[in-house]
């Protein structure tokens, strides 16, 4: 939501396209907390850790990320190309900027 709010869509798209990826789809949505939580659960995991401290830390991280992602409109972009996932990770980095 922060990139959309700051008007960075064109710059973000340019960076991906300049790495030989082709934009094949785009969709603007306002994610629900449920959708945002499911999205981050794929990369963070669920809150069923091995111990209470681990589960609590995971739950706090999931909740914070879900709150952020659902705070406003986002534009989901779909790109394709050779080594698309590796290229996207090189451009955007990890799902959590703290990592």
């Amino acid at each position: 939501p922060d990139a959309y709010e700051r008007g960075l869509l064109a710059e973000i798209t340019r960076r991906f396209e300049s790495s030989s990826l082709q934009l094949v789809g785009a969709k603007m949505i306002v994610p629900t907390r449920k959708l945002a939580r499911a999205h981050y659960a794929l990369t963070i995991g669920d809150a069923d850790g091995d111990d209470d401290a681990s589960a609590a830390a995971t739950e706090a991280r999931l909740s914070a990320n879900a709150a952020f992602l659902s705070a406003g409109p986002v534009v989901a972009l779909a790109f394709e190309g050779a080594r698309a996932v590796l290229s996207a990770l090189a451009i955007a980095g990890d799902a959590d900027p703290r990592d």
Side-chain angles (χ1 to χ4, degrees), residues 38-94:
H39 170 75
Y40 281 113
L42 293 172
T43 56
I44 296 173
D46 59 31
D48 297 328
D50 293 333
D51 58 53
D52 289 342
S54 175
T58 299
E59 177 59 36
R61 192 170 173 192
L62 274 170
S63 293
N65 286 359
F68 171 74
L69 189 62
S70 62
V74 299
V75 178
L77 302 173
F79 292 92
E80 66 181 15
R83 304 181 68 141
V85 173
L86 292 176
S87 294
L89 287 172
I91 296 164
D94 197 297

Side-chain angles (χ1 to χ4, degrees), residues 5-52:
E5 186 177 294
R6 294 171 44 207
L8 298 175
L9 183 58
E11 175 59 22
I12 291 168
T13 302
R14 184 197 64 75
R15 289 182 186 193
F16 281 82
E17 289 179 331
S18 70
S19 71
S20 300
L21 296 176
Q22 180 182 6
L23 180 64
V24 294
K27 180 178 182 180
M28 180 184 288
I29 64 169
V30 178
T32 63
R33 282 265 179 131
K34 183 177 179 179
L35 177 62
R37 187 177 174 85
H39 170 75
Y40 281 113
L42 293 172
T43 56
I44 296 173
D46 59 31
D48 297 328
D50 293 333
D51 58 53
D52 289 342

